[in-house]
Amino acid sequence: MIQNVIDGVLTGSYLSLGAIGLTLVMHILRFANFSHAELLSLGAYAALVCDALVTALAPVLAIKLAPLSLTWALGLAIVLSMVLTGLSAVVIDRLVFRRVRERGAELSMVFASFGMALVIRNIIGLIFGLSPKLYSQEIAFATVLSFDPLILVKPDQVFVLLAALVLMFALHLVLSRTTFGYSLRAVAENPALAQINGVNLARTIVAVWLIGGGLAAVAGIFYGMSHQIIPVMGRDLVLPIFAATIVGGIGSVYGAVLGGFIVGLAGNLALLVLPAGYTPSVPFLLILAVLILRPHGLFGEARA
Amino acid sequence: MIGVISYLVFFATTASILAIAVLGLNLQWGNTGLFNGGVVAFFGAGAYGTLILGGAAQAGHLGGYGLAYPLALLGGMIAAGLMAWIVGLLTLRLRHDYLAIATFGVAVAFENLMRNAEWLAGGAKGVRGFERPLRSALGDGFIYNLLFFLAVLLILIAVYLFLERLVASPFGRLLRAVREDEEAAASLGKSPARLRLTAFVTGSVILGLAGGLYGTFYAFVSPQDILPTLTFQIWAMLIVGGAGNNRGAIFGAFLIWGAWTASGWALSRFAPVEAQLYTGSLQFVLIGCVIVGMLMWRPQGLLPERLVVSQRGKPPSVQ
Amino acid sequence: MFNHTHRAASAGLAFGLAVLGTTASAQECTTKIGAVLPTSVDWGRPIAETAQFAVDQVNEAGGAAGCQIEMVLRDTQVDPKVGVDAAKALVDLEGVKVMLGAVSSGVSMPILTSVTVPGGVMQMSCCSSSTAFTGLAEEGKTEGLWFRTFATTAVQSAIGAKVAQDQGYGSVAILYKNDDWGQDMGRMIAADFEAVGVAVTTSIAINDAQPSYRAEVTEALRTQPDAIYLALYPAEGTAAVREWISLGGTQNMILANSLKSDEFRENVGMQYLGSALGTDTSSPRSDSADAFRAAYMARFDSEPNGPGLANSYDATMIALLAMEAAGPDATGAQIAEAVARVTDPAGTPVTADAAGFAQARDVLGGGGTVAYQGATGNVQFDVNGDVSAPAVVWSFTETGTQEVSYLPLDEVDAFIGSLR
């Protein structure tokens, strides 16, 4: 039970990171972006390539930061991958979403994102093959925190949780203390009015994609460190991330964080209640329950 | 030559069944504005309902009621309708994104139940042992397929005519009124909640009909038939064809299913041998590009809705 | 539709070819066979590669029934509608008489009921394991056109129980893939463990496409079993086992043959797989038994390890042998009938490679029958198109796998009998 709660929180950390980017995009650009989870794959694979490159160029960096399985090289790769993924998100927006946005309705965007998800996922599969990849072949052992009840925690996961919390706090500062944060909120409230007041809309959108893409990359890499990197990881993660976003309420960064943890916990606690075969339904039953009580999610607001 | 005709009949049967499903969704989304993300659950309820009610007894799970085919099909439709009624009561007050994810969850839960509950519908093995109607009289060659296609086509036309009349009726105008401005509709003394529920259940019954025909066509259904891919396919058909336009819905079904199958055929025929193993992934890339390209080029769909009564307010747009 | 395209040859050329023999004349025409396999899925692509490999070997040996073989491959996307449509197109537009596939039972079944049986086409699946096919065949609804080279799960499960018994494990936790194969496997292995007196601490379904299996693994760990039984595919198997080991779970593992995979071995790591024992069906002991393995390694530079690879090879080979036995322009039903002539236990043994195929051609041409010594064993089909086979227990090595023990068919049958 305690173990499941701990696992749930740890799983929740990367879901939260993914959900923050999604909630920003859904709020500012007003569409359910089904390709958001593919940015996680993109980030994970970009880091895989960067890690290999950095290690090849500077073999000294392949030293582990014990007790983590993280190396200096992978640490550097994470930063590179954040930038690359953020830029890819901007490019995808330029090439596809902006054009659809200019002409179509809300739902066109949703389906364009569905199409883009197929394209990105399968191109990754063509380039890297369909089998799983790993940052490190070695298995990082869990540390025993307590024997009775048995509680096990992996150092990597604690790092992931702390890193996620630091990133979330940094984002919180940006959103609440900077002019950029205000302009972002202004655009979300009313794009036309924000523009009249001198907010550069195009630049704000670029920033949203950069932040969303960067966080997605970290989420993808963290997922890859805890589990494995596989072309279909976006497909497997898209629903938990959506669930986190919706439970938290679209547009609320804090809601997304909380939603991620709730979905993580639900997934890990489900087995205590239901046979294993039914566990994939649990996050959705949870969403259903939350939405019946609060139709706009925990922190969301009604919007015309 | 007979081979080509035989294949085309087969293709058109599947496409027509899908077109019926797209029509059902069009009533929900195109006419009423309900973002049903769980299309496949209602489709599946129809398929499972029909096969369980009309099939031979199977060891270990429900079945063997041996109902006459029309009754079995009707039973499948009722199953879909009942499910829609319950789901609708719970979720229809949610809007757009929230409704979509909630109904999507219903579809995942439905698939999960079918996959795990062996006592109910055979679990992952699925339901078999269904005898296609009139098969003993007609054999199962080309003639059977041709007659089955004609039957499906007639049903498609009947559903189309029914929906055209419904949409043109005062009831249809009310649905669009709810879609465009719910408060205005309510101020006229109409109950938007009840209207939405009626449209949702009616659309789902049509989805269930399509599912029942699908199960009949393959004489088999398993959890693999009700994965989220199907929801995506049916939505893509509606969006490309033109939401709000029944003819667009049918056209979209044939077009997307045609593109889906033709791309596989073309790749298997023209891609070089070394590339054959990659055609599966390539095909998905192509399908994705077609959908994205379509939305960039013609976002209202190929046959857009013809607005007669209501003036559509401009949606809040960015940029 | 024409599936043979004999081009008219001049009298002189024909004479020349007659002198050169059958191999040369085989270049004159091409026969198409169909394959519907999930090439867009991680474990599906190698299955298709292996089928193509078998076709290449037969072509090297001069083709089947006097013609070169072209395998027209279509992706099923693991979507029944897509698979059924692809199969129908292959039958109607390409005129194939033999259909290889599909992998998932949920795709194979509608193809069988709505395309191949109505069209009189022989269908040979490598990997569809559902017991529903046996039921369908018993009702006479497959019309003898259905075959599968996937030995019934009973053999795998019984041998798995035997391993647990021999290793002296008192309790075992089961993790099974939540599809038709895994559900059958999970149910049967649990019964077999009980039969040999091994306690089952828990039996947990592993669903496809889940981002994490942490909760499932934690649950299994909680029951503190002596060993763990895994009926999983490599992708989720790797994820679950890495999780299991990192949490300090026992390294006593019993693996179904689906995990006999290089990908699994490399990603989990040899240092943790020392006490892992796998089960599989096997070739009978003979000099030719390694033919498939050797040829496969020459072609792909790795061992034929992965779910369904050996089964896919055998499915293709047997289908082509049956085409050879049935002769040119045979119907699907005639080819299906000829399967018995190439898997006849009393026939001349032939190896699973190009040379074996050439030898089979001579024997069949002389009116004899052959016993195909396949990659999965001395394949014999019963009346329902199911196979039974000898079994082997294997373990991982630094470079691949090695055999730990071998059980001939009669021992397998005797052991299964003792369980019931």
Side-chain angles (χ1 to χ4, degrees):
Chain A
M1 174 71 190
I2 301 171
Q3 177 76 60
N4 296 78
V5 171
I6 293 174
D7 289 348
V9 172
L10 297 174
T11 317
S13 55
Y14 57 77
L15 293 180
S16 294
L17 285 176
I20 293 172
L22 181 60
T23 210
L24 284 177
V25 169
M26 279 176 83
H27 195 51
I28 308 269
L29 297 172
R30 302 185 181 221
F31 81 107
N33 181 9
F34 275 88
S35 66
H36 188 78
E38 303 307 323
L39 294 176
L40 272 76
S41 319
L42 213 59
Y45 277 96
L48 190 70
V49 174
C50 292
D51 185 31
L53 278 179
V54 172
T55 313
L57 291 175
V60 247
L61 292 178
I63 306 167
K64 280 205 181 126
L65 292 154
L68 306 177
S69 71
L70 188 77
T71 59
W72 286 105
L74 184 58
L76 196 56
I78 292 178
V79 179
L80 289 173
S81 164
M82 282 177 79
V83 175
L84 284 174
T85 311
L87 289 176
S88 314
V90 174
V91 170
I92 292 169
D93 186 60
R94 273 287 151 82
L95 288 178
V96 180
F97 293 138
R98 192 173 73 179
R99 294 176 196 209
V100 178
R101 191 160 62 227
E102 278 162 3
R103 304 198 47 187
E106 196 180 345
L107 210 68
S108 303
M109 294 289 284
V110 174
F111 280 87
S113 74
F114 229 115
M116 277 316 292
L118 280 183
V119 173
I120 299 171
R121 188 184 310 151
N122 285 284
I123 287 180
I124 291 177
L126 284 172
I127 296 174
F128 292 94
L130 302 174
S131 319
K133 304 258 186 247
L134 297 163
Y135 293 121
S136 160
Q137 298 285 331
E138 279 171 47
I139 296 181
F141 281 93
T143 314
V144 180
L145 289 189
S146 143
F147 279 100
D148 190 31
L150 188 66
I151 300 175
L152 299 156
V153 174
K154 286 196 239 180
D156 276 351
Q157 288 180 312
V158 177
F159 163 76
V160 164
L161 179 64
L162 291 178
L165 290 176
V166 168
L167 278 169
M168 289 171 201
F169 184 66
L171 185 68
H172 162 75
L173 290 182
V174 169
L175 290 183
S176 61
R177 304 281 161 86
T178 63
T179 335
F180 166 71
Y182 290 122
S183 61
L184 207 62
R185 271 188 284 165
V187 171
E189 294 294 325
N190 189 334
L193 199 61
Q195 271 179 302
I196 293 169
N197 284 301
V199 175
N200 185 331
L201 192 59
R203 212 177 287 164
T204 312
I205 289 173
V206 167
V208 165
W209 283 115
L210 279 175
I211 295 174
L215 292 178
V218 182
I221 298 164
F222 286 174
Y223 173 81
M225 280 170 61
S226 317
H227 304 284
Q228 53 190 352
I229 313 153
I230 189 159
V232 293
M233 62 189 263
R235 179 200 67 187
D236 300 350
L237 283 165
V238 67
L239 296 170
I241 290 176
F242 256 97
T245 309
I246 301 275
V247 166
I250 294 166
S252 165
V253 170
Y254 311 108
V257 172
L258 189 66
F261 288 116
I262 291 178
V263 172
L265 280 171
N268 277 281
L269 290 171
L271 253 176
L272 301 176
V273 197
L274 283 173
Y278 290 98
T279 49
S281 325
V282 171
F284 296 103
L285 298 178
L286 184 87
I287 298 175
L288 212 56
V290 169
L291 290 182
I292 286 168
L293 296 173
R294 287 189 63 89
H296 298 283
L298 295 176
F299 290 94
E301 289 157 15
R303 172 156 100 172
Chain B
M1 197 54 215
I2 183 75
V4 177
I5 294 170
S6 164
Y7 173 72
L8 286 178
V9 164
F10 198 88
F11 166 84
T13 311
T14 315
S16 304
I17 291 172
L18 292 171
I20 296 173
V22 181
L23 283 175
L25 180 64
N26 190 31
L27 178 64
Q28 297 178 338
W29 169 254
N31 298 118
T32 324
L34 300 171
F35 195 161
N36 179 1
V39 169
V40 73
F42 308 103
F43 187 91
Y48 270 101
T50 304
L51 293 203
I52 287 176
L53 290 172
Q58 294 297 317
H61 67 82
L62 292 184
Y65 303 105
L67 290 189
Y69 181 69
L71 287 177
L73 189 61
L74 194 66
M77 291 161 70
I78 291 172
L82 269 178
M83 205 164 82
W85 185 65
I86 297 168
V87 171
L89 282 180
L90 287 174
T91 62
L92 283 188
R93 61 203 182 94
L94 304 173
R95 300 304 288 267
H96 294 303
D97 301 346
Y98 294 99
L99 178 62
I101 201 89
T103 43
F104 189 96
V106 169
V108 171
F110 182 76
E111 193 265 350
N112 241 252
L113 182 67
M114 291 302 144
R115 182 174 290 277
N116 290 290
E118 288 188 46
W119 55 270
L120 182 67
K125 279 201 304 296
V127 178
R128 60 170 199 90
F130 179 81
E131 191 72 25
R132 300 212 267 165
L134 301 178
R135 180 175 172 271
S136 48
L138 299 167
D140 55 8
F142 175 67
I143 298 296
Y144 188 92
N145 282 349
L146 185 64
L147 290 175
F148 188 79
F149 167 62
L150 292 175
V152 171
L153 192 64
L154 281 178
I155 294 174
L156 173 63
I157 293 169
V159 170
Y160 169 77
L161 293 175
F162 165 73
L163 287 176
E164 282 288 291
R165 301 197 90 175
L166 188 78
V167 168
S169 72
F171 178 75
R173 282 202 296 277
L174 275 177
L175 291 182
R176 284 194 299 280
V178 169
R179 181 188 72 185
E180 299 301 333
D181 191 339
E182 188 175 324
E183 277 163 35
S187 71
L188 295 172
K190 310 294 176 190
S191 161
R194 188 186 294 170
L195 279 168
R196 284 219 292 264
L197 188 60
T198 313
F200 189 67
V201 171
T202 313
S204 297
V205 166
I206 296 171
L207 284 168
L209 169 65
L213 293 171
Y214 174 88
T216 312
F217 189 41
Y218 292 166
F220 177 71
V221 66
S222 78
Q224 245 172 325
D225 292 292
I226 52 170
L227 294 176
T229 321
L230 180 62
T231 299
F232 168 63
Q233 286 163 334
I234 290 174
W235 267 103
M237 289 165 184
L238 181 61
I239 298 299
V240 168
N245 183 328
N246 285 324
R247 259 179 265 180
I250 297 174
F251 184 55
F254 275 78
L255 191 76
I256 290 286
W257 184 237
W260 207 286
T261 55
S263 60
W265 177 81
L267 283 169
S268 86
R269 168 150 290 206
F270 300 115
V273 177
E274 317 79 73
Q276 281 296 327
L277 292 162
Y278 302 96
T279 53
S281 300
L282 273 175
Q283 195 189 349
F284 273 117
V285 174
L286 274 179
I287 291 164
C289 289
V290 165
I291 288 167
V292 171
M294 193 54 222
L295 290 167
M296 282 169 30
W297 171 59
R298 213 180 153 91
Q300 269 68 43
L302 291 170
L303 303 178
E305 180 177 15
R306 290 157 297 172
L307 288 173
V308 191
V309 200
S310 56
Q311 291 292 316
R312 193 173 186 165
K314 253 186 112 59
S317 66
V318 180
Q319 257 193 346
Chain C
M1 298 300 291
F2 299 104
N3 55 349
H4 291 274
T5 46
H6 283 280
R7 295 210 182 85
S10 72
L13 184 61
F15 176 75
L17 290 173
V19 173
L20 284 172
T22 50
T23 315
S25 71
Q27 310 303 321
E28 285 296 290
C29 60
T30 300
T31 308
K32 286 176 177 172
I33 63 167
V36 275
L37 298 166
T39 55
S40 51
V41 180
D42 59 344
W43 41 263
R45 199 184 280 173
I47 288 176
E49 276 173 331
T50 311
Q52 183 62 51
F53 168 54
V55 170
D56 292 347
Q57 285 198 321
V58 168
N59 283 337
E60 193 187 307
C67 288
Q68 288 282 298
I69 300 299
E70 182 191 343
M71 182 178 91
V72 188
L73 175 64
R74 292 284 305 266
D75 182 21
T76 64
Q77 302 173 359
V78 212
D79 181 337
K81 314 187 277 312
V82 175
V84 168
D85 181 84
K88 186 69 180 170
L90 287 170
V91 171
D92 283 347
L93 303 181
E94 308 287 353
V96 304
K97 296 284 175 249
V98 167
M99 186 73 67
L100 303 173
V103 173
S104 310
S105 301
V107 182
S108 295
M109 183 61 101
I111 291 178
L112 186 67
T113 53
S114 64
V115 177
T116 48
V117 169
V121 170
M122 180 179 90
Q123 186 179 349
M124 175 85 78
S125 166
C126 61
C127 318
S128 293
S129 63
S130 171
T131 48
F133 292 104
T134 308
L136 197 73
E138 279 165 357
E139 289 161 21
K141 286 184 180 160
T142 60
E143 297 178 13
L145 292 164
W146 163 255
F147 298 91
R148 51 176 162 175
T149 51
F150 195 99
T152 46
T153 27
V155 176
Q156 284 262 344
S157 139
I159 302 308
K162 190 173 182 326
V163 169
Q165 190 185 28
D166 292 349
Q167 296 291 313
Y169 299 146
S171 60
V172 178
I174 300 169
L175 296 184
Y176 64 90
K177 187 176 171 73
N178 199 14
D179 66 357
D180 56 275
W181 169 75
Q183 285 182 358
D184 272 351
M185 203 68 209
R187 193 182 318 105
M188 292 172 93
I189 190 82
D192 288 351
F193 279 142
E194 298 290 347
V196 297
V198 174
V200 174
T201 61
T202 182
S203 184
I204 296 175
I206 297 288
N207 288 292
D208 273 3
Q210 297 305 302
S212 162
Y213 298 109
R214 179 73 179 247
E216 285 84 349
V217 167
T218 306
E219 177 65 18
L221 200 65
R222 204 179 49 76
T223 65
Q224 300 188 325
D226 290 348
I228 185 161
Y229 182 86
L230 300 162
L232 300 172
Y233 279 21
E236 69 265 15
T238 307
V241 169
R242 282 180 66 94
E243 202 78 84
W244 173 259
I245 289 173
S246 76
L247 295 177
T250 169
Q251 292 172 21
N252 292 333
M253 293 180 238
I254 307 172
L255 314 172
N257 67 344
S258 52
L259 286 177
K260 196 177 185 180
S261 131
D262 290 338
E263 175 192 324
F264 176 75
R265 179 176 53 94
E266 282 159 20
N267 287 341
V268 173
M270 211 30 233
Q271 65 269 41
Y272 307 114
L273 291 171
S275 14
L277 288 171
T279 60
D280 201 356
T281 49
S282 149
S283 309
R285 300 299 91 164
S286 70
D287 294 340
S288 64
D290 287 332
F292 163 68
R293 196 178 164 114
Y296 187 96
M297 287 183 71
R299 163 81 170 260
F300 295 104
D301 206 26
S302 68
E303 288 189 49
N305 290 338
L309 298 191
N311 310 77
S312 172
Y313 183 87
D314 281 354
T316 314
M317 267 298 185
I318 292 168
L320 295 175
L321 280 167
M323 285 173 73
E324 176 70 37
D329 300 315
T331 63
Q334 285 165 338
I335 298 170
E337 261 172 50
V339 169
R341 283 187 61 206
V342 301
T343 55
D344 179 6
T348 313
V350 296
T351 53
D353 56 7
F357 195 90
Q359 188 196 354
R361 178 185 297 126
D362 293 340
V363 175
L364 294 166
T369 61
V370 299
Y372 170 68
Q373 312 284 305
T376 58
N378 191 356
V379 185
Q380 289 163 38
F381 296 94
D382 66 11
V383 286
N384 296 324
D386 294 340
V387 289
S388 190
V392 68
V393 178
W394 52 268
S395 65
F396 283 113
T397 65
E398 286 299 335
T399 54
T401 58
Q402 68 187 8
E403 185 181 307
V404 175
S405 62
Y406 167 75
L407 291 97
L409 191 52
D410 48 348
E411 271 184 46
V412 171
D413 287 342
F415 184 73
I416 292 177
S418 76
L419 290 174
R420 306 285 177 256

